[in-house]
Amino acid sequence: EDQVTQSPEALRLQEGESSSLNCSYTVSGLRGLFWYRQDPGKGPEFLFTLYSAGEEKEKERLKATLTKKESFLHITAPKPEDSATYLCAVRGEDDKIIFGKGTRLHILP
Amino acid sequence: GAVVSQHPSWVICKSGTSVKIECRSLDFQATTMFWYRQFPKQSLMLMATSNEGSKATYEQGVEKDKFLINHASLTLSTLTVTSAHPEDSSFYICSASTGSDTQYFGPGTRLTVL
């Protein structure tokens, strides 16, 4: 069964303290791994799509990487405005997209 | 670009009534639209996928007669929750895709059924 597990569930960092969020997945025939940011009471905002192991993408303080089993979202020198829930999702060969429960990130000023 | 709107942003209704939620892609044509529901601190759960002009494909466990989806044009899809009950209270989110892998999400609709 296809599955997406994100860890940690919640993470509190000081402003400027870099860290990584993990997304472990089990899927038949990965056709894409997606990262989204979701603010409270709002819909997810698209960040990245990764397709193959070894691929990396960057946007401002965020960098997403992908292996055959997991993806990391690295956040470098975060700011309070980076506080949000970060969602990971995968699309398998059946074209279904499965979301993880997310990591709630809180950056303290 | 790639803006998706939802209306209303929140709605409160009495048990037994029906509620319609609209999802619009504002600056692109969406060949496919998706409807999700999300409970507090839970992941998004896909309810159904709809392609313009076709019947929606519902996920297992989602009652198609209760959650009516209409995708009448390339920029508009509607979700109607019929005979709503308190257990239907949730955050409903739509997303739209041009056919690429990327989905663009709307801001969500908070439904509260009294």
Side-chain angles (χ1 to χ4, degrees), chain A residues 31 34 36 38 41-46 49 51 87 91 96-97 99-101 104, chain B residues 36 38 41-44 46 59 91 93 100-108 110:
Chain A
R31 298 180 67 175
F34 311 90
Y36 289 88
Q38 186 176 25
K42 296 189 177 180
E45 175 190 340
F46 172 73
T49 307
Y51 292 101
L87 300 170
R91 180 185 213 141
K96 289 191 184 298
I97 295 180
F99 279 82
K101 292 186 177 181
R104 294 191 309 280
Chain B
Y36 294 82
Q38 186 179 33
K41 297 186 179 181
Q42 297 296 313
S43 66
L44 280 74
L46 180 65
E59 294 300 300
F91 192 50
I93 310 175
S100 70
D101 291 325
T102 303
Q103 293 182 36
Y104 299 94
F105 285 83
R110 172 75 57 194

Side-chain angles (χ1 to χ4, degrees), chain B residues 67-94:
Chain B
F67 298 99
L68 302 178
I69 292 172
N70 185 299
H71 191 165
S73 75
L74 286 172
T75 59
L76 173 64
S77 177
T78 60
L79 168 68
T80 302
V81 183
T82 62
S83 187
H85 291 284
E87 57 266 30
D88 298 323
S89 298
S90 188
F91 192 50
Y92 292 85
I93 310 175
C94 74

Side-chain angles (χ1 to χ4, degrees), chain B residues 53-64:
Chain B
S54 303
K55 287 185 178 180
T57 301
Y58 290 82
E59 294 300 300
Q60 194 170 11
V62 177
E63 300 174 58
K64 64 174 94 175

Side-chain angles (χ1 to χ4, degrees), chain A residues 46-87:
Chain A
F46 172 73
L47 293 174
F48 305 109
T49 307
L50 301 168
Y51 292 101
S52 56
E55 190 175 358
E56 297 183 354
K57 288 193 176 171
E58 282 187 73
K59 180 180 178 180
E60 297 179 351
R61 294 179 290 282
L62 299 175
K63 183 167 101 172
T65 62
L66 180 65
T67 73
K68 289 186 177 179
K69 295 183 180 179
E70 58 192 350
S71 175
F72 290 95
L73 184 65
H74 306 277
I75 182 161
T76 303
K79 298 181 178 181
E81 53 261 41
D82 295 322
S83 298
T85 295
Y86 290 85
L87 300 170

